[in-house]
Amino acid sequence: MLSNTKSWQPIKDDTLVKNIEYVVKQIARKLQSPHAVLGEPLPGTGSLASGALGIALFYAELDRQYPDEQWDVIAHHYLVHVQTGMNANTFHSLSLWTGLSGAPVVASILARDRGRYQNFIEKLHIVMQPAIDEFIDQARERIGNNVFMPDYDVIDGLAGIGRYLLSFKEHSACKKNLIKALSYTVQLTEDIQLDDRIVPGWHIKSEDQFLEIEQKQYPNGNFNLGISHGIAGPFALLSLALLAGVEVAGQREAIRKLCSYYDKWKAEDEYGPIWPERISFEEQICGQMRNNFAHNASWCYGEPSIARVLWLAGEALGDTQIQSLAQKVYLSLVQRSVESFGFDSPTFCHGYAGALWMIQRMMMNTGSDVLAAYRETLINQLLNSFNENTAYGFQDIELGQPQDHPGLLTGAAGVALVLLSCLSLDEPEWDCMFMLK
C-alpha cells in the first residue's frame, strides 16, 4: 500500500541504540584528528568520497544529534584541512565527490542555520560558477558524438554538480547554471544516430569505459544504468529538481522517457524486479538482454538505488504506478537473505551500509513495518563487522582483501554516519549527496 506519511522512524530498541552509540562514538574517536587520518593536504585528501569533506559530514551529523558534545569543532578542523587544500590547489575538478562541489553543501549542512561558513560558501560560488558554465558547454558539445561518463555522472559529472546547484537554487548564479545543467540533461536523454542506428544519447564508447575489461566486454560501447556512473544519476537530478519546483522545457518528458526505459529493461528473478548494470550496444539494437545478470543490492549499481530514483520520478510526476514498482523492488529486497546480497564490505558504495540507508529512506515514504524489521537485520550485520582493533573500526573489503579507509563512500565514516542517522529523531540532510533525496 502506497503511503506518503513523511514520518521519520528511528531505531527504538534500547539495546540496539546503545550498541550503535558505542560503535559510532568509537569511530568518532578514531577519526578525530584530521592530520593523523589524512596527513598533509594532498590531491584527494579533501574529497567527499574519501577525504575530509566526507568525514566532516559524519561529524556534522554528530553535532546535530549531540549538540552539546562539541563535535562541530572536529568538523571545523576537517573543513580547515579542505581550505588548506584549496589554497594549495589540490582540488583538480568541479565534481561533487572528488572536487569542489561537495564543499559548499557540507559547509551548509554543518552550519545548521547558525550563520557559520557563509563567506566560505559564497567565495566557492563565485569561483565555481564560471567554471561550471564552461563545463556544461564542453559536455553539451560531446552529445551525439563522444559522451564521457564524467560529463554527466554523479561522481564526477553534471548529475553530482547539479545536485550542489539544486541545494543552492535561491542563489542567482547557481540557479542559472542549474537551469543550464537541467537543459543539458534533457538533451542527453534524446536519441542520437550512431552507426545508422537510433540509440539513447548517453551511449559511452568502448574506449571511454573506465576499465580495460569493460572495453573488451563492450567493443561497441554500452548504456550504463547505475546511479554512480550511469543514467540513473541524471534521472534523479531531473526528478529532484522538479520536486523542488525547478523545471525546464522537456524535463517531464525526459523523466517519463527514462521511466519507460527502466521498465523496458527490467527483468524478474524469483523474488522480484532486477536490472542489469549495463546494456550493450548490441542488446540495445535488438531490444533483448543477451548477457546474464543477477540481483545487486548496492547503492552504486543496484536495484535499491534504481528503485529509489523511480520512486522520486513517480512522486515528481504524480504517478503512483511508477511508485508501486519502486515499492515492489523494496518488498522483494527484504525477502532475500542477507547472504544473497553478495557483499563482503560494510561500506556505503557497494556494501551493507548503503542497502541499510536506502531501506531507512524508503521507510519514511512508505511506513512499511516489513522494511523496519529488515532494517534491524542489516544493522546487526553491520555491528557484527565492527572491529575496534582495526584502524577505523570498519574495513572495506575489495576482492577479499580488507582495506582501512576512513572516508564516506568506501570507508568507516560512511558506515558510522548511516548507523548514527538510524538513531535520528528527524530527517537528516546528508543523503542528498547520494541523490536519494
Side-chain angles (χ1 to χ4, degrees), residues 4-5 67 83 97 121 124 205-206 265 288 318 384 391 399 409:
N4 284 289
T5 60
Q83 180 68 70
W97 282 92
I121 293 169
L124 282 167
K205 291 182 177 179
S206 174
W265 292 104
Q288 293 184 1
N384 289 337
L399 300 176
L409 195 60

Side-chain angles (χ1 to χ4, degrees), residues 6 71 90 141 143 153 188 203 215 233 283 316 338 342 397 406:
K6 301 294 184 186
W71 297 109
T90 62
E141 289 176 2
I143 293 181
D153 73 5
L188 183 70
H203 172 265
Q215 294 174 0
E283 289 167 334
V338 171
I397 312 296

Side-chain angles (χ1 to χ4, degrees), residues 242-290:
L242 190 58
L243 285 167
V246 184
E247 184 173 359
V248 300
Q251 187 170 338
R252 292 174 184 267
E253 293 77 9
I255 294 171
R256 182 71 66 181
K257 182 176 184 178
L258 289 168
C259 288
S260 297
Y261 193 82
Y262 277 91
D263 188 60
K264 171 182 172 54
W265 292 104
K266 170 176 59 57
E268 297 266 347
D269 68 4
E270 60 183 304
Y271 295 102
I274 59 174
W275 281 273
E277 295 181 6
R278 300 167 184 83
I279 296 166
S280 71
F281 179 83
E282 293 79 11
E283 289 167 334
Q284 175 68 41
I285 296 304
C286 76
Q288 293 184 1
M289 288 301 304
R290 294 177 175 176

Side-chain angles (χ1 to χ4, degrees), residues 399-417:
L399 300 176
Q401 298 299 313
Q403 301 179 40
D404 292 308
H405 294 158
L408 181 64
L409 195 60
T410 62
V415 185
L417 179 56

Side-chain angles (χ1 to χ4, degrees), residues 82-111:
V82 171
Q83 180 68 70
T84 304
M86 290 176 182
N87 294 340
N89 198 29
T90 62
F91 283 81
H92 298 156
S93 84
L94 295 164
S95 71
L96 183 67
W97 282 92
T98 61
L100 285 173
S101 288
V105 185
V106 171
S108 178
I109 291 172
L110 177 59

Side-chain angles (χ1 to χ4, degrees), residues 129-364:
Q129 296 315 306
I132 290 174
D133 182 68
E134 183 179 354
F135 185 102
I136 298 170
D137 287 341
Q138 292 173 351
R140 178 177 284 142
E141 289 176 2
R142 285 190 284 271
I143 293 181
N145 179 31
N146 193 27
V147 170
F148 301 147
M149 277 183 280
D151 286 345
Y152 70 78
D153 73 5
V154 168
I155 301 297
D156 293 308
L158 280 168
I161 294 170
R163 191 62 188 86
Y164 144 62
L165 296 171
L166 182 59
S167 296
F168 294 94
K169 63 184 175 64
E170 306 305 324
H171 187 281
S172 59
C174 292
K175 178 70 172 292
K176 182 179 179 181
N177 271 333
L178 173 60
I179 295 295
K180 192 171 180 179
L182 291 171
S183 296
Y184 159 84
T185 306
V186 169
Q187 187 179 347
L188 183 70
T189 68
E190 296 172 357
D191 292 340
I192 59 171
Q193 184 169 321
L194 189 65
D195 295 337
D196 298 323
R197 303 284 190 169
I198 302 300
V199 299
W202 64 89
H203 172 265
I204 303 295
K205 291 182 177 179
S206 174
E207 59 266 31
D208 295 326
Q209 302 298 317
F210 288 143
L211 303 177
E212 184 177 349
I213 190 173
E214 294 169 351
Q215 294 174 0
K216 293 178 179 177
Q217 185 177 359
Y218 301 103
N220 294 305
N222 64 33
F223 305 85
N224 192 311
L225 295 188
I227 197 170
S228 57
H229 294 298
I231 197 61
F235 187 8
L237 178 64
L238 291 172
S239 299
L240 289 166
L242 190 58
L243 285 167
V246 184
E247 184 173 359
V248 300
Q251 187 170 338
R252 292 174 184 267
E253 293 77 9
I255 294 171
R256 182 71 66 181
K257 182 176 184 178
L258 289 168
C259 288
S260 297
Y261 193 82
Y262 277 91
D263 188 60
K264 171 182 172 54
W265 292 104
K266 170 176 59 57
E268 297 266 347
D269 68 4
E270 60 183 304
Y271 295 102
I274 59 174
W275 281 273
E277 295 181 6
R278 300 167 184 83
I279 296 166
S280 71
F281 179 83
E282 293 79 11
E283 289 167 334
Q284 175 68 41
I285 296 304
C286 76
Q288 293 184 1
M289 288 301 304
R290 294 177 175 176
N291 299 308
N292 294 326
F293 63 97
H295 166 70
N296 183 340
S298 71
W299 170 77
C300 52
Y301 277 98
E303 277 76 42
S305 55
I306 290 173
R308 179 64 188 174
V309 174
L310 287 168
W311 177 274
L312 294 170
E315 189 175 9
L317 296 174
D319 190 324
T320 58
Q321 186 173 353
I322 297 170
Q323 289 183 293
S324 292
L325 171 58
Q327 191 169 18
K328 182 180 178 182
V329 173
Y330 276 86
L331 293 177
S332 72
L333 177 68
V334 301
Q335 301 304 314
R336 303 173 192 271
S337 68
V338 171
E339 292 75 20
S340 73
F341 285 10
F343 292 155
D344 292 319
S345 183
T347 56
F348 198 108
C349 182
H350 45 261
Y352 291 108
L356 166 60
W357 187 250
M358 289 184 285
I359 284 175
Q360 172 74 32
R361 174 54 65 185
M362 284 297 288
M363 282 173 54
M364 176 183 172

